[in-house]
Every structure is written in C-alpha cells, then in structure tokens.
Amino acid sequence: MTRHLFSTCTAVLLLAGSASAQQKATITGVPEIPFTSVPNFLKLPAGEYLGEAVAVATNSKGNIFVYHRRDTTRLFEFDKNGTFIKEIGKGYYGFEFAHSVRVDKDDNIWTVDEGANLVTKFSPDGKVLMVIGRRPPAVDGPVVTPGPNPPAQKYILCRPSDIGFDPQGNIFISDGYCNNRVVKYDKNGRFVAQAGSEKAGKELGEFNLPHGLQVDGRGHVWVADRTNNRYQELDNDLKPIKEITNLGTGWTLCISAGPHQYIFFSNSNPNGNPPGSWQNTGEIYKGELDGTILGKFGKPGKVVPGFQVVHKIDCRNPNELILGEIESWRVQKYILQPAPPRTAGGERR
C-alpha cells in the first residue's frame, strides 16, 4: 500500500495543496492534446430536449446512451451517428434523479439513480434484469437523516454515484453521497465486501464522496474521491494500492476498452461556477495505468468547445470521448488528435 502521485513523462512529483471545495491541479509539464469538438451531434425527436446530461455510455455497436435529468429522469438511446433510437424505462419506478449509466461487456445497460437509491440492470432491449438497493417507499414519508449517517447496510444504498465491472462480472458500486464507501457484489448481486463506511475519512481505503468509479482489465478499482480531492486505486478485494493527489478534484474518470487501456480524469468546473473556479478547473487528463500522464485537453466554458461540469465520460474509443455535461445541458464528442512528433532535441515540430 503506497502513496502515489501520477507522474509526467519527466517524472515530476508534486504535493497537492490543502483540500477545498474545488482544487487546482498541481501537476506541471503536461503537454496539450489537440482535439476537435463535435457539439450537437445527437438528433433528438421533434419536441424533445436534453436536461442535465449527467451520464453517457456506449455499447459494442457504438450506440450512445444518455441518462439525463429533465421534467423527470430519462434514458435515451442513439445510434453511433447520433440518430435517436428509443427511450428506455419511461415511467420506471427506479428513475428519480439520474447519476450514472454504464454498459457491461454483454451490452447490458446499468443505471445508477441517486434519488431512488437504486442500481438497475437492463438487457440490451430494455428489460429489467436486476435491481440493487431499494427506493424509499412514499408511505414512510420524507427521508430525513439529521446528524450522523445511519450504519451502512449490505443491500441498502444511500445516494449511489457510479458502477463498474471486473472481467469476471463482479459488480462494484460507489455509494456515494452519504455512505462514503465502495461495495463489491458478485455477478448475481450478492454482497461480497466493502471499503469505507458511512463515516467520511481521509486515509487510504476511506472516502469522502466517492463520485466516480471504473474497473480496469486487471480487476483494479479506480475511484474519484471527490471531496478528498484525489483518486484512489484499489485491488479486486478493495484493498488500497495508491492515491493520486495532483490532478485537482476527482470528479469522474473513465477507462478505455481494448488490450491497451488508458485512463481519463476530469478536474471539472464545479456546479455554480464559484469565484475563482474558471482559473483552476476544466481540464481532462489522459494517463497510462502505470502512472504516466500523457497529456491534457479542454478548458471550462459555457460555449463549445469549452465544457461545464463534465459529470461522466465515455471513452470506449480512447481517441473519441463523449462528455456528459450538467450545467450546459449538452453532450459533446471530443476527437483527440495525435500530438505533433518530437525532434531529436525534444522540441515539437
């Protein structure tokens, strides 16, 4: 179990500043990755609009799923060209306040709903296959939890935020805004283990708002530990391996598919654009799983190609990212370009 800072190619290691609501990245010497933006590539039916596009995901065909908050929570499916295909789960009891959508290796669609305290597994054609958690029933009245959070339970979630899967089909959930934990279930939804608890913590293996989660091909679990302004890597048994503290505030992350995986980290512009946030946030970093940062791209902005509150990223193709944004109510596609080649002296041509 080691403390770790992601390095640039020149192995610059810098300590992070003190924790705050939104933290500036301290890593230096990171090259800019050229990109082009494809805004408004989704073709919505007449009379339909996106709300807060909090989550995006793609399946093996390239179809795009957008989980968004509007008059109610909605899940739309588009083809790879952005043409609307269908809505999934209209009127579904498990939809209340969208937070994440992910697609597993079998093209099943998983939604994480912060308001309903539910994770739902849909088949590729939209049938409900599994539910983890329980929506607080209306008959019990409003849920009020003043003071300390109640003890975390195996099958009751509290404002969950994200989900990932290892190669064996085990399920990992970041749970989330009040339980401050990561939970492992087997492929059948049976509880296996957890890291963290209802109590927020700063040590390795503890969390303070685990806001994003992904699992790499080795089965390692990566967590965007947002309020602690860091990312953590855990092994498959949820034992901590390292923390990454120089990439700003850990809003979300994405791990690409294929034999050579890349990891993307978002130091997003925060909700409400508080004073000073435009100067210290907005970029997305691309890295190797071994700890090398390859580059960064993007700036905060209300107008494309800037982005606002990149809440979730799809990076199945590491050169073609799809970004779900909250405050601008949009989805953008970012196409990353190769960096200019270096000369023998190290300068770019």
Side-chain angles (χ1 to χ4, degrees):
M1 184 166 45
T2 60
R3 295 183 179 269
H4 182 81
L5 289 177
F6 258 31
S7 60
T8 63
C9 295
T10 56
V12 177
L13 300 180
L14 296 174
L15 295 176
S18 59
S20 62
Q22 186 69 30
Q23 185 162 291
K24 183 178 177 63
T26 58
I27 192 169
T28 60
V30 181
E32 293 283 342
I33 300 175
F35 67 88
T36 55
S37 171
V38 187
N40 302 318
F41 72 101
L42 298 181
K43 305 170 185 66
L44 290 157
E48 290 284 7
Y49 298 88
L50 288 182
E52 295 182 341
V54 295
V56 290
T58 59
N59 65 12
S60 62
K61 300 176 182 178
N63 289 0
I64 303 158
F65 300 88
V66 181
Y67 196 35
H68 62 112
R69 305 166 182 164
R70 214 183 70 176
D71 50 334
T72 184
T73 281
R74 312 283 290 274
L75 177 60
F76 289 173
E77 181 180 2
F78 303 83
D79 70 15
K80 63 183 179 180
N81 298 314
T83 301
F84 182 82
I85 297 176
K86 65 178 182 289
E87 180 173 0
I88 297 171
K90 186 174 183 179
Y92 176 54
Y93 183 60
F95 286 177
E96 177 66 29
F97 195 66
H99 204 275
S100 184
V101 63
R102 302 288 189 182
V103 177
D104 66 22
K105 61 181 178 60
D106 299 313
D107 279 348
N108 298 304
I109 308 138
W110 296 73
T111 58
V112 180
D113 196 286
E114 178 193 343
N117 292 335
L118 285 178
V119 169
T120 303
K121 176 184 181 181
F122 293 93
S123 68
D125 59 359
K127 296 179 181 178
V128 176
L129 301 179
M130 183 187 296
V131 174
I132 299 176
R134 183 169 188 244
R135 178 172 179 152
V139 70
D140 289 344
V143 177
V144 180
T145 56
N149 295 324
Q153 302 180 53
K154 291 181 178 180
Y155 298 103
I156 300 297
L157 306 175
C158 190
R159 300 183 66 188
S161 58
D162 209 350
I163 190 167
F165 321 94
D166 69 12
Q168 290 72 44
N170 294 307
I171 305 159
F172 298 83
I173 297 172
S174 51
D175 179 40
Y177 280 79
C178 38
N179 271 338
N180 299 298
R181 65 176 180 167
V182 173
V183 193
K184 178 180 180 178
Y185 299 91
D186 69 15
K187 63 181 180 181
N188 298 310
R190 290 183 175 272
F191 176 89
V192 176
Q194 75 172 37
S197 73
E198 70 280 358
K199 298 179 181 179
K202 296 182 179 180
E203 299 300 318
L204 289 178
E206 297 178 342
F207 308 94
N208 191 348
L209 179 47
H211 192 256
L213 180 147
Q214 288 273 265
V215 184
D216 67 29
R218 304 165 299 177
H220 290 191
V221 182
W222 296 77
V223 184
D225 190 8
R226 195 172 93 182
T227 304
N228 280 329
N229 295 306
R230 66 182 179 183
Y231 297 89
Q232 291 196 63
E233 181 186 2
L234 315 175
D235 70 15
N236 198 253
D237 297 317
L238 302 183
K239 304 300 181 185
I241 297 174
K242 63 175 177 278
E243 62 177 1
I244 302 157
T245 60
N246 60 349
L247 299 182
T249 297
W251 268 78
T252 194
L253 71 164
C254 185
I255 298 176
S256 64
H260 187 146
Q261 294 186 300
Y262 299 95
I263 185 164
F264 294 86
F265 306 90
S266 175
N267 183 31
S268 186
N269 207 32
N271 293 329
N273 307 132
S277 66
W278 295 96
Q279 288 73 42
N280 66 5
T281 64
E283 69 279 355
I284 293 174
Y285 293 89
K286 179 182 181 181
E288 300 274 11
L289 297 183
D290 68 0
T292 300
I293 288 293
L294 302 174
K296 65 178 180 178
F297 58 93
K299 301 291 184 184
K302 293 181 181 294
V303 178
V304 297
F307 42 65
Q308 287 222 276
V309 193
V310 176
H311 196 262
K312 289 290 182 283
I313 302 170
D314 178 86
C315 62
R316 182 182 292 267
N317 178 347
N319 295 316
E320 188 176 287
L321 273 62
I322 300 174
L323 313 179
E325 300 178 59
I326 297 180
E327 292 197 357
S328 293
W329 296 11
R330 67 188 173 205
V331 173
Q332 287 191 72
K333 181 187 291 185
Y334 265 48
I335 301 173
L336 304 188
Q337 307 296 332
R342 292 181 180 273
T343 66
E347 296 180 353
R348 294 190 183 279
R349 294 177 181 172

